């Protein structure tokens, strides 16, 4: 499978890097990791991804890279949105 484009999601970099985040299940420290997924722009799955890139539209096989959180104790991974919602709920 040939990758035609790569799109990196850089949402909330300072919140990810400079704030401590804890696992909602076991309360251990979460580690930020990069995860990637290759999605074809014509597939059924493409409706869940943003293929826009400035003034252009990405086509073909696009690798989407985003940051997630990994709990090394229980092995679960969480999206930025899941941790953000959990932290707001805890406040």
């Amino acid at each position: 499978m040939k990758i035609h484009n790569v799109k990196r999601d850089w949402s909330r970099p300072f919140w990810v890097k400079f704030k401590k985040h804890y696992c909602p299940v076991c309360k251990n420290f979460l580690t930020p990791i990069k995860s990637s997924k290759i999605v074809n722009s014509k597939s059924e799955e493409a409706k869940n991804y943003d293929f826009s890139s400035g003034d252009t539209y990405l086509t073909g096989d696009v690798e989407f890279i985003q940051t997630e959180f990994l709990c090394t104790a229980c092995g679960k991974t969480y999206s930025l949105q899941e941790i953000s919602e959990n932290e707001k709920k805890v406040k």
Side-chain angles (χ1 to χ4, degrees):
M1 179 181 290
K2 184 177 178 186
I3 299 172
H4 295 104
N5 294 295
V6 176
K7 185 169 182 180
R8 175 75 162 108
D9 181 17
W10 291 100
S11 60
R12 306 176 76 176
F14 293 105
W15 179 79
V16 170
K17 184 152 180 94
F18 296 115
K19 188 170 189 279
K20 292 185 179 182
H21 306 283
Y22 298 94
C23 179
V25 176
C26 64
K27 309 298 184 223
N28 282 327
F29 183 70
L30 294 172
T31 306
I33 58 168
K34 282 196 281 187
S35 67
S36 67
K37 177 139 184 152
I38 298 173
V39 180
N40 188 293
S41 61
K42 295 179 182 171
S43 70
E44 183 70 28
E45 186 178 22
K47 65 183 175 186
N48 300 327
Y49 292 89
D50 180 20
F51 283 84
S52 64
S53 177
D55 295 337
T56 62
Y57 184 77
L58 304 174
T59 59
D61 293 327
V62 179
E63 181 178 16
F64 288 91
I65 303 172
Q66 63 271 353
T67 303
E68 293 183 342
F69 289 109
L70 171 69
C71 178
T72 55
C74 63
K76 291 190 171 216
T77 58
Y78 300 97
S79 68
L80 298 181
Q81 184 178 359
E82 289 174 318
I83 296 301
S84 175
E85 289 172 1
N86 185 53
E87 289 176 356
K88 286 178 184 176
K89 189 171 44 172
V90 171
K91 279 186 177 181

